[in-house]
């Protein structure tokens, strides 16, 4: 006896199939798939892609981040919930800029542009610049940031306008920080479907952070801040790196999000 498409796409059947595929939050994912799909055929395709192991956000075409829908294309790094802490700290520092002056913000290793999008949507005024080395990420970030700022393609500071040197108030760099040997231990959704350049931080995970810190003081305004996300175990090395490059380091954490952020401040002019 044949089974109708409507039966195969009923919520209970989708939940059962997703759970069998190993989706822990099958009920929540089913609700998202049902609310996103525009036609039964599209829903069927989305369910099959999820069962095949694609990240839910790549299947949906978006990720929720700080209450916003961030477009996430196939292969682009999916913004993690813990990174909402990094975004929140960046917003707080940008808001501390003296009234009457637009804060200058740079989002390096921007990926989908999630952090920059939050800054642009939260602050009344901001001069926003973002950059990433991955062309797919740059295309995605341009969709998200749209008219709110400029997105550049290139390696770290290289594509940024030189007019930003010494002017940046808040420099957010969500650099890759997974040690190379630990890439194989990541969930398949990450290691098989996200760009390696967005995950691999080198032997100890801090190669890109070191490069960012080495040039940060030249780009930061006096009193400006560099923020990076890192792990609790890596934080002491990040602190040493910041201090060695003339930044005053501070470690902040959020236990609920399992998030660790190191903030480095360029000393204010005497």
């Amino acid at each position: 006896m044949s089974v109708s498409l409507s039966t195969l796409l009923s919520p209970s059947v989708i939940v059962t199939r997703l759970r069998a595929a190993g989706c822990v939050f099958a009920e929540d994912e089913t609700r998202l798939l049902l609310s996103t799909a525009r036609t039964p055929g599209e829903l069927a395709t989305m369910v099959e892609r999820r069962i095949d192991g694609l990240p839910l956000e790549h299947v949906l075409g978006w990720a929720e981040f700080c209450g916003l829908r961030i477009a996430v294309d196939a292969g682009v790094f999916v913004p993690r919930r813990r990174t909402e802490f990094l975004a929140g700290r960046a917003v707080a520092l940008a808001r501390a800029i003296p009234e009457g002056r637009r804060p200058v913000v740079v989002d390096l290793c921007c990926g989908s542009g999630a952090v920059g999008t939050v800054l642009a949507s939260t602050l009344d005024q901001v001069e926003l610049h973002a950059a990433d080395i991955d062309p797919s990420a740059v295309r995605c970030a341009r969709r998200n940031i749209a008219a709110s700022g400029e997105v550049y393609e290139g390696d770290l500071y290289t594509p940024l306008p030189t007019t930003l040197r010494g002017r940046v108030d808040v420099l957010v760099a969500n650099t890759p920080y997974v040690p190379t040997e630990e890439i194989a231990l990541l969930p398949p959704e990450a290691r098989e479907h996200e760009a390696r350049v967005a995950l691999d931080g080198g032997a100890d995970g801090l190669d890109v952070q070191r490069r960012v810190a080495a040039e940060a003081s030249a780009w930061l305004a006096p009193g400006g801040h560099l923020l990076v996300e890192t792990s609790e175990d890596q934080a002491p090395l990040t602190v040493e790196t910041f201090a060695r490059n003339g930044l005053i380091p501070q470690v902040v954490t959020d236990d609920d999000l399992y998030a660790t952020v190191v903030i480095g401040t360029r000393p204010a002019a005497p």
Side-chain angles (χ1 to χ4, degrees):
M1 183 175 65
S2 63
V3 180
S4 67
L5 182 61
S6 61
T7 299
L8 290 173
L9 296 178
S10 68
S12 60
V13 171
I14 294 174
V15 167
T16 299
R17 296 186 68 201
L18 291 180
R19 189 177 290 123
C23 300
V24 177
F25 304 104
E27 291 84 357
D28 293 336
E29 293 193 12
T30 296
R31 283 193 291 272
L32 290 169
L33 290 168
L34 288 168
S35 65
T36 302
R38 293 164 294 188
T39 66
E42 186 175 43
L43 177 59
T45 299
M46 292 170 73
V47 170
E48 293 304 322
R49 294 181 72 209
R50 182 63 181 129
I51 289 172
D52 287 342
L54 269 71
L56 176 65
E57 295 81 3
H58 289 166
V59 173
L60 296 173
W62 57 270
E64 183 176 344
F65 186 77
C66 291
L68 302 175
R69 280 196 178 189
I70 304 297
V72 181
D73 297 330
V76 175
F77 182 81
V78 175
R80 304 327 195 225
R81 184 164 179 264
R82 63 176 172 271
T83 306
E84 292 182 353
F85 181 59
L86 175 69
R89 300 299 299 204
V91 168
L93 290 170
R95 280 178 169 161
I97 300 302
E99 191 172 349
R101 184 170 70 81
R102 278 201 311 167
V104 179
V105 176
V106 171
D107 182 5
L108 281 188
C109 303
C110 69
S112 63
V115 174
T117 301
V118 170
L119 284 155
S121 66
T122 305
L123 301 171
D124 292 333
Q125 291 187 331
V126 62
E127 181 183 338
L128 175 64
H129 302 264
D132 200 284
I133 197 171
D134 180 8
S136 297
V138 169
R139 287 193 295 271
C140 194
R142 284 176 176 155
R143 288 171 56 202
N144 287 312
I145 292 176
S148 302
E150 298 291 335
V151 183
Y152 312 93
E153 180 182 333
D155 184 30
L156 298 183
Y157 302 99
T158 304
L160 296 179
T162 57
T163 53
L164 288 175
R165 293 177 69 89
R167 294 183 54 235
V168 180
D169 298 301
V170 177
L171 172 58
V172 183
N174 191 18
T175 62
Y177 58 92
V178 180
T180 302
E181 291 187 354
E182 295 182 20
I183 296 290
L185 305 178
L186 292 175
E189 291 181 351
R191 69 172 187 267
E192 295 177 7
H193 298 287
E194 293 180 326
R196 176 83 177 224
V197 70
L199 302 171
D200 194 340
D204 64 355
L206 301 179
D207 283 0
V208 184
Q209 283 188 15
R210 291 190 187 93
R211 293 179 57 213
V212 171
E215 294 188 51
S217 289
W219 293 86
L220 289 173
H225 311 281
L226 165 64
L227 299 86
V228 300
E229 182 179 280
T230 190
S231 72
E232 183 179 1
D233 292 340
Q234 292 167 319
L237 289 175
T238 302
V239 165
E240 290 179 13
T241 299
F242 278 25
R244 190 164 55 248
N245 286 281
L247 301 173
I248 302 170
Q250 176 191 9
V251 179
V252 291
T253 60
D254 184 303
D255 293 337
D256 292 335
L257 293 175
Y258 302 101
T260 300
V261 169
V262 180
I263 303 172
T265 304
R266 178 186 169 187

